[in-house]
Amino acid sequence: MAAASMDCVAATALRSVLHRVQQAADRSGRSADRIRVLAVSKTKPVSLIHQVYDAGHRFFGENYFQEIVEKSPQLPSDIEWHFIGNLQSNKVKPLLTGVPNLAMVETVDDEKIANHLNRAVENIGRKLLKVLVQVNTSGEESKFGVDPSGCVELVKHVCTACPNLEFCGLMTIGMLDYTSTPENFKTLANCRTEVCKALGIVEEQCELSMGMSGDFELAVELGSTNVRIGTTIFGPREYSKKQ
């Protein structure tokens, strides 16, 4: 069965993505070991996630609260889950209690959600929760994220007022048609420069989560440390089958 799983379409696609990340890292003089590939399993069944897990992968992400709390108990506990969708305040505690192996929330975009996460971590008594601050680099009203001009202030709040959170870096979602992708990525990199200067840390201590199926190679070349890959690994999303 293990061999069959390794030969499954998703596992083959994963290997292709890892190879492409390696090539992009080589082109930009970076080490691929410093780049995390997050397999985003939105709308996909647990059985398919298992196949990618059996191929040796351990980093998975979900956009929807309901999906991650339903899937995580059915999967091995050594998976490192990232929540990458918009998080409502009333879902914070159920998320943290329902997913004990939640490694990171990538979508902190205001002080309110940071405060809710901080309190919930303390009340539950779990270890520090790693977080990324989401930045709206495209200026689209439909996108969540703090404005780049408010990025440093929000990061400072997380670092000074939220002792149960560990600030790890910045995240952005580029435009869906990828027309302004380089600008979006460069904006996030500029935000990192400002954040690191304000905090007195080196840029290697501040992750950049940027790049998805359509633009992850460019993202790697422009400094991404965390690419979020869904359809390229798992195939087109199946909203009609979503539970």
Side-chain angles (χ1 to χ4, degrees):
M1 287 298 293
S5 293
M6 284 296 290
D7 290 334
C8 80
V9 173
T12 300
L14 170 68
R15 289 196 295 274
S16 174
V17 166
L18 294 173
H19 179 64
R20 289 166 65 186
V21 166
Q22 177 72 62
Q23 289 180 315
D26 289 345
R27 286 195 297 272
S28 51
R30 302 180 61 205
S31 170
D33 293 341
R34 297 182 61 84
I35 303 162
R36 181 191 304 107
V37 172
L38 196 68
V40 180
S41 48
K42 180 165 67 172
T43 77
K44 296 301 178 179
V46 167
S47 58
L48 194 57
I49 301 172
H50 255 300
Q51 292 176 340
V52 176
Y53 175 91
D54 288 342
H57 205 63
R58 295 297 180 267
F59 304 109
F60 291 86
E62 280 290 349
N63 295 68
Y64 299 128
F65 162 80
Q66 196 62 37
E67 286 201 59
I68 194 171
V69 296
E70 288 178 359
K71 291 175 181 177
S72 62
Q74 304 177 60
L75 290 157
S77 61
D78 63 337
I79 284 178
E80 292 192 21
W81 285 105
H82 287 218
F83 187 76
I84 62 173
N86 179 248
L87 182 58
Q88 298 175 322
S89 298
N90 65 337
K91 297 294 194 292
V92 166
K93 186 175 181 180
L95 174 66
L96 296 184
T97 55
V99 189
N101 51 329
L102 181 68
M104 183 180 286
V105 171
E106 296 197 15
T107 47
V108 172
D109 60 359
D110 60 28
E111 292 185 5
K112 179 182 176 183
I113 198 66
N115 293 340
H116 275 284
L117 284 165
N118 181 64
R119 284 195 296 270
V121 171
E122 182 176 16
N123 292 338
I124 293 168
R126 62 155 282 165
K127 64 180 181 180
L128 292 182
L129 176 66
K130 295 180 178 180
V131 298
L132 302 182
V133 164
Q134 182 176 357
V135 183
N136 185 341
T137 56
S138 64
E140 295 171 279
E141 291 185 5
S142 61
K143 294 279 176 63
F144 293 100
V146 65
D147 186 89
S149 64
C151 179
V152 170
E153 184 179 349
L154 180 53
V155 169
K156 284 183 175 179
H157 177 81
V158 172
C159 293
T160 60
C162 302
N164 300 294
L165 305 182
E166 180 184 351
F167 170 73
C168 292
L170 307 174
M171 177 267 214
T172 194
I173 300 172
M175 286 188 174
L176 292 179
D177 62 2
Y178 306 118
T179 52
S180 66
T181 286
E183 291 79 8
N184 291 333
F185 292 166
K186 290 173 184 175
T187 296
L188 196 69
N190 290 337
C191 287
R192 177 173 66 175
T193 299
E194 294 177 8
V195 164
C196 291
K197 182 179 179 180
L199 297 183
I201 61 176
V202 297
E203 293 193 351
E204 287 74 20
Q205 291 178 275
C206 185
E207 287 205 43
L208 292 181
S209 176
M210 58 188 196
M212 298 186 286
S213 287
D215 56 10
F216 69 90
E217 288 156 303
L218 175 60
V220 168
E221 292 176 19
L222 292 177
S224 178
T225 63
N226 186 74
V227 292
R228 310 179 303 271
I229 313 298
T231 56
T232 301
I233 294 174
F234 291 106
R237 293 164 183 161
E238 303 168 30
Y239 290 105
S240 62
K241 297 180 181 180
K242 182 173 175 284
Q243 297 297 314

